[in-house]
Structure formats: C-alpha cells, structure tokens
C-alpha cells in the first residue's frame, strides 16, 4: 500500500489513471528503447548523447501520440523520430564547435603550434636577446624556449597573468626591433 498525504478530509484515495498516450509511450519504450538507444549511439558516437537522444525520441513520440498520431508501423515511426533527433543534435553540436572558442588562453596555447624559424631568421638573435631588458628576456625565454604557459610564467616571475601578457608583447616587439636593426 502506498502512503498518500491526506489533504482536507481523510478518505479513500482515488487512483489517478494515466493518459492513454502515457501507457502507449511506456509500452513503446519497454519494447523499443534498447534498439533506439543502439541506433542513437551508432549515429552520435557518444553514450551520454545517445541516452539524451533516446529520451528525446520517446518524448517526441509521446507528444505525437497526444496530438493524435496513430503510427501504422511503430518501429519505422520511432526510428524516423530518432533519426531526426540525432540529425538535430549533430547539427547543433557542429554549429556550437564552430562558434564557441576557448575562453582560457592556456587552452589555446596547447592547440596552436609554435612558429618554425628559418635558420636565416636566427642570425643576430643572441645579440638582440642580450640587448633586451632582463625581465622581458626572461619572460620570452620561459615562453618560447621552455614552453611555459602564461600562468606558469606569472608564477615564476611573481607577476599577474595580465602583466605577463603585456611583458611578452613588449618583449616580442623589442626583439623584432632588435632583429631588424641588425640586418
């Protein structure tokens, strides 16, 4: 027996009958959920996405049944709903990947490859580095030679990350000026 909170007068609780669409959806889910999940997993290649897509498929089926849809071929109808759900998810995820960019500069540093220098570009580099202010040279060498992130350089030089960004900008500008003066 299920405990039912009493509101107002105590009496015999009346069992609420689920809508026929809910019963039909439950039956469809029990019969086809594994197949639809496998299809969604194949289409999306991700377990969490497939679980969400399966849930969306049966939610859309429930809505269709509420609107009065009476599918002649239940399996084909569910697969078509699942196909549309998966297609929509793939479109939105690819659009999201194109639009979203990492907010963390450290993440960008790991993705973008370093510039490959020509041997001719290195002529005069030791002199240009020697002529730079000490703090700029240290920051530049930590970044370009040792490959440290902005955060790691900030810790090493005991500066804020914003100060390191400014320092590296100035260091690169000073180095470029030093290299163009020598040639």
């Amino acid at each position: 027996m299920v405990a039912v909170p009493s509101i107002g007068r105590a009496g015999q609780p009346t069992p609420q009958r689920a809508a026929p669409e809910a019963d039909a959806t439950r039956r469809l889910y029990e019969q086809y959920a594994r197949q639809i999940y496998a299809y969604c997993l194949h289409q999306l290649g991700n377990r969490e996405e497939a679980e969400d897509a399966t849930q969306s498929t049966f939610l859309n089926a429930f809505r269709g049944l509420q609107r009065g849809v009476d599918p002649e071929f239940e399996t084909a109808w569910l697969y078509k709903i699942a196909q549309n759900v998966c297609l929509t998810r793939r479109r939105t995820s690819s659009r999201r990947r194109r639009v979203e960019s990492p907010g963390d500069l450290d993440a960008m540093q790991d993705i973008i490859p370093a510039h490959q220098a020509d041997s001719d570009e290195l002529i005069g580099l030791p002199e240009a580095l020697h002529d730079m202010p000490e703090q700029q040279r240290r920051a530049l060498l930590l970044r370009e030679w040792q490959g440290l992130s902005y955060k790691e350089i900030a810790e090493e030089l005991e500066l804020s990350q914003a100060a390191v960004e400014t320092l590296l900008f100035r260091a690169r500008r000073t180095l470029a000026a030093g290299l163009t003066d020598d040639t």
Side-chain angles (χ1 to χ4, degrees), residues 60-93:
N60 289 344
F62 175 72
R63 289 181 186 134
L65 292 171
Q66 279 184 319
R67 286 191 313 272
V69 172
D70 185 20
E72 187 174 346
F73 301 104
E74 293 173 339
T75 310
W77 181 62
L78 285 173
Y79 274 101
K80 186 61 180 179
I81 294 171
Q83 179 185 23
N84 291 336
V85 167
C86 291
L87 182 63
T88 301
R89 285 185 171 276
R90 281 198 310 259
R91 277 188 197 138
T92 56
S93 70

Side-chain angles (χ1 to χ4, degrees), residues 128-144:
L129 282 171
H130 183 267
D131 294 341
M132 290 176 68
E134 174 67 24
Q135 191 80 332
Q136 287 182 7
R137 180 174 54 247
R138 284 187 65 203
L140 191 64
L141 290 175
L142 288 171
R143 174 73 184 133
E144 303 302 332

Side-chain angles (χ1 to χ4, degrees), residues 20-164:
E21 301 88 23
D23 290 337
T25 306
R26 184 178 300 107
R27 183 186 58 75
L28 288 172
Y29 182 82
E30 289 169 354
Q31 190 171 353
Y32 298 109
R34 282 195 179 101
Q35 294 168 335
I36 297 298
Y37 171 77
Y39 174 79
C40 293
L41 182 61
H42 176 74
Q43 292 296 311
L44 300 171
N46 180 315
R47 291 178 59 197
E48 290 81 19
E49 285 285 324
E51 289 170 0
D52 289 347
T54 302
Q55 184 177 10
S56 295
T57 298
F58 284 97
L59 186 59
N60 289 344
F62 175 72
R63 289 181 186 134
L65 292 171
Q66 279 184 319
R67 286 191 313 272
V69 172
D70 185 20
E72 187 174 346
F73 301 104
E74 293 173 339
T75 310
W77 181 62
L78 285 173
Y79 274 101
K80 186 61 180 179
I81 294 171
Q83 179 185 23
N84 291 336
V85 167
C86 291
L87 182 63
T88 301
R89 285 185 171 276
R90 281 198 310 259
R91 277 188 197 138
T92 56
S93 70
S94 70
R95 212 176 302 129
R96 199 172 25 245
R97 266 184 268 136
R98 279 193 313 243
V99 172
E100 291 178 355
S101 61
D104 185 12
L105 289 177
D106 290 335
M108 287 295 287
Q109 295 172 158
D110 295 336
I111 297 170
I112 299 173
H115 171 69
Q116 298 296 320
D118 253 345
S119 60
D120 291 343
E121 289 179 11
L122 299 176
I123 296 175
L125 182 62
E127 294 81 17
L129 282 171
H130 183 267
D131 294 341
M132 290 176 68
E134 174 67 24
Q135 191 80 332
Q136 287 182 7
R137 180 174 54 247
R138 284 187 65 203
L140 191 64
L141 290 175
L142 288 171
R143 174 73 184 133
E144 303 302 332
W145 189 49
Q146 292 186 3
L148 297 184
S149 68
Y150 285 24
K151 184 178 179 182
E152 293 168 325
I153 295 168
E155 290 170 2
E156 179 74 26
L157 299 178
E158 298 178 352
L159 297 171
S160 69
Q161 194 166 335
V164 168

